[in-house]
Amino acid sequence: MSDREVFEPLARGALVPNLASYRRLHARSLEDPDTFWAEEARNLHWKQPPPSGAPLLTYNLDPSRGQVFTRFMPGAITNVCYNALDIHVLRGNGDRVAYFCEGNDPKDVATVTYKELLGLVCRFANVLKKHGIKKGDSVLICMPMVTEAVVGMLACARIGAVHSVVFAGFSADSLAERIYDCRAKIVLTVFAFWRGTKLIELKNIIEDALHKVETKYTYKINKCIVLPHINTVATANGGDPKVRASWNNARDLWWVDECETVDNFCQVEWMDAEDPLFILYTSGSTGQPKGVVHTTAGYLVYASTTFKYVFDYKPSDVYFCTADVGWITGHTYLVYGPLANCATSVLFSGTPFHPDNDRFWDIIAKYRVSIFYTAPTAIRSLMKFGDEYVKRHDLSSLRILGSVGEPINREAWLWFRSVVGNNKCSIVDTYWQTETGGHIITPLPGATPMKPGSASFPFFGVEPTLLDDNGAIIKGPGEGYLVFKRPWPGIMRTILNNHKRFQETYFAKFPGYFFTGDGARRDQDGYLWITGRVDDMLNVSGHLMSTAQVEGALAEHSAIAEAAVVARPHPIKGESLYCFVTVNKTHRFDNVLAQELKKLVRDKIGAFAAPDEIQNAPNLPKTRSGKIMRRILRKVATGDRDVGDTSTLADENVIEELFANRRP
Ligand code: PRX
């Protein structure tokens, strides 16, 4: 990776047209954030603006000075769904396409306008109300990429309910934990759906999860509203013979039937600026997921503003974000950011490889997509099929390409730019997190000269700092912990039911700063390069998980005495899981056990967490106080004999044994 390799931005006529204007605007956003954000908020609808003269953004990031908090626009009243839909219809844009919906099967297509989406949302909001959902209640949504997932989210926002979307690839255990943690009153799901050629019987997984919720947590949800998504399934008993799902008449309801019995008008619930909008779970280093809470006004303004500037959005654009609604990218840049800007998006529910490896390129050509936002893992996996698949399609509509979720390697970046973008597009490598609500470090397509692999500079209102181990500020070029001195409107407000954990996780290590858990390097030109997690988190294909979570799953097997997990670089996934297990005296390590352990992790967490390798480790490298030295395990996993200082190891012989048992 070269710090000196620079590509000029290519978005002509951009909202922020050059580096000097970016710098000027950025400086202004830090000097006077309230004026900057007030101007951005002006594009949105406020039932009641904040009291004049009151500060917009207030905060404390230092736990020693009292509770950590961020507040934005206190006193203002609005509704996020109203800003996403009603306002556009009222302004005469009701016939604009909100989503081109493209199913797993290329023939399964639909178009939804803003007016139609508003109608669907109003009806479903009335369904939720009919079943007793009120302001502040939690609704859990576990659905694939169908319009109704968006409808469910917006319906919650409309009536002030708090949605908690859980990725439809989690296991029943993970789901149960999340349903209970937010005390969901209702679950929204689909009967079954296709992911490529694989049929996912989601209702059965939900059924398992709900059973676990009842038996393990003695908690019961009121209703489960089910979309008969796959075409062949008309009723619970009919349709595709491969699909069997248990049905609980007292609890389960068909989505379509429910919508038929309600009105298509639903008044919005006007919300205070700091009322919660949604919860989204992200992995925590203890293994317990964290319910990240985002609130109304700050999230809305931040999602809308970042979408506009980072993708240089123009009304003529067609935007395609491949992220799943179950992740934060799906929330901010598939739903709230684009809708707040009245954008036209593609909502795709298949995989990039079905029916062939050119599905993304086919979709881009079909809808004349101009902004394409995806993940490095997807880019790397498509790259390996060669340029031919891309070249088959007319991608000349593209003008901006975006990347998110993991560091993008130079080779993938260059391929994205030259083959997909035909050297005519700016690339935005957007760095952010579930916690940050929106992009925080990113190039702007018309302004920032790009360096492949660098997320470059902070977004407006964002002030990154690098700290060393002692918490001292690193000035100029250097590498350290990536922290932020002040919040921006869209930053998370708390962890659901656990403000203490929120303070400890993000503010205890460096009081006065929000700590991301990532490391970063600043080069001689001031560009920031994200170096990855510095805590015990693993990022596999953009899915974040903790070592503790995977180790906990492995340790549930009766043969396992102890487990330790590290990340190993992977050419497609970015990182893969490499697990070391110590087997009980009563058991033996063999292939069968290794397969059982892999399955166990899939069942406990989800398929995306499946380990690549399980290594037999009769002994783990530990300090005298018993702490596992993961640094050494990472070296073993990558086959690097240069293990560094081993003087704190309780038993140095362990190293040879570990290398002897190493998996290739
Ligand atoms: O390590 C960083 C990595 O993904 C983490 C956040 O994961 P999550 O909360 O699931 O949100 C993903 C989508 C925003 C970060 O702490 N990450 C995300 N974007 C980048 C990145 N690492 C390097 N470069 C990026 N552009």
Side-chain angles (χ1 to χ4, degrees), residues 329 404-407 429-434 518 530 533 539 544:
T329 310
V404 59
E406 331 143 51
D429 173 2
T430 60
Y431 167 80
W432 59 297
Q433 309 178 301
T434 305
D518 285 304
I530 309 301
R533 303 292 306 192
N539 189 337
L544 215 55

Side-chain angles (χ1 to χ4, degrees), residues 13-30:
L15 290 168
V16 185
N18 51 51
L19 195 58
S21 20
Y22 158 74
R23 289 202 198 284
R24 215 172 27 247
L25 263 171
H26 185 253
R28 206 192 296 161
S29 74
L30 294 188

Side-chain angles (χ1 to χ4, degrees), residues 280-283 292 323 327-330 333 373 376 403-408 428-439 441-442 453-455 482 516-519 529-535 537 539 542-545:
L280 186 58
Y281 286 92
T282 188
S283 297
V292 169
W327 307 115
I328 189 71
T329 310
Y333 299 113
Y373 192 31
S403 162
V404 59
E406 331 143 51
I408 181 162
V428 287
D429 173 2
T430 60
Y431 167 80
W432 59 297
Q433 309 178 301
T434 305
E435 291 87 338
T436 70
H439 307 139
I441 298 177
T442 176
S454 166
L482 179 60
T516 56
D518 285 304
W529 301 71
I530 309 301
T531 51
R533 303 292 306 192
V534 291
D535 51 13
M537 302 298 278
N539 189 337
H543 301 306
L544 215 55
M545 61 201 94

Side-chain angles (χ1 to χ4, degrees), residues 407-475:
I408 181 162
N409 49 311
R410 178 178 173 275
E411 200 193 356
W413 193 99
L414 292 175
W415 185 81
F416 202 27
R417 182 175 186 276
S418 64
V419 180
V420 179
N422 196 20
N423 297 315
K424 292 201 172 80
C425 300
S426 276
I427 296 190
V428 287
D429 173 2
T430 60
Y431 167 80
W432 59 297
Q433 309 178 301
T434 305
E435 291 87 338
T436 70
H439 307 139
I440 50 170
I441 298 177
T442 176
L444 296 185
T448 317
M450 299 164 280
K451 295 192 182 192
S454 166
S456 74
F457 303 130
F459 188 72
F460 304 129
V462 175
E463 192 178 6
T465 305
L466 297 184
L467 299 181
D468 68 15
D469 274 324
N470 304 316
I473 294 174
I474 300 168
K475 294 207 170 107

